[in-house]
Amino acid sequence: MFAGAAIYINLVEHPARLECGTAAAVQQWRPSYARATVMQASLAIVGLLASLGAWVQGRGAPVLVAGLLLGTVVPFTLVVIFPTNRQLLESTLDEGSPRAAALLARWNRLHAVRSSAALLALVILLLHLGGRV
């Protein structure tokens, strides 16, 4: 579920918000970020815990690897993405400025790292389920 939500944001939601102009994109990003934070953090943590539980039950190393990969999105967000988030949330940010546009572009690239990690975790799990890994 995390992978689907994350990829949707990169491929659909963020490009759509950018088409409205930088100022509108920043204004839309802020409440979207607040809502998505709770959902995505919960999905990543539940996915990690579920895979750890499955691994403990003997489901194999690929399940553990996939879960750990999914779990890395939480510290990645806190350490790498949060500084950009904080800047986008600043009340003093000129919402229509080139700086705001650059922050939105950086945020999308960084979010794509999370999407990629989640997609790779999903592929590992599917290959494992199919007996390929």
Side-chain angles (χ1 to χ4, degrees):
M1 289 177 60
F2 182 94
I7 292 167
Y8 169 82
I9 290 168
N10 278 119
L11 297 180
V12 179
E13 182 179 315
H14 195 69
R17 82 171 56 115
L18 291 175
E19 286 194 20
C20 297
T22 302
V26 170
Q27 291 168 7
Q28 192 280 335
W29 179 89
R30 288 173 174 161
S32 177
Y33 164 74
R35 289 181 185 97
T37 297
V38 174
M39 180 191 75
Q40 288 191 304
S42 300
L43 288 173
I45 291 167
V46 167
L48 170 62
L49 294 175
S51 66
L52 288 173
W55 175 72
V56 166
Q57 293 177 358
R59 302 297 165 104
V63 173
L64 177 62
V65 170
L68 292 173
L69 186 58
L70 181 58
T72 64
V73 303
V74 174
F76 179 81
T77 300
L78 294 173
V79 174
V80 179
I81 299 178
F82 189 70
T84 300
N85 294 351
R86 192 174 58 246
Q87 292 177 62
L88 281 165
L89 292 168
E90 286 175 357
S91 61
T92 58
L93 177 67
D94 178 356
E95 296 171 348
S97 69
R99 178 175 176 255
L103 287 169
L104 287 169
R106 180 184 327 146
W107 179 86
N108 195 47
R109 285 189 308 274
L110 294 172
H111 182 73
V113 173
R114 289 190 295 201
S115 298
S116 299
L119 181 59
L120 181 56
L122 176 61
V123 168
I124 291 168
L125 289 172
L126 291 174
L127 290 172
H128 183 62
L129 184 63
R132 308 252 178 188
V133 177

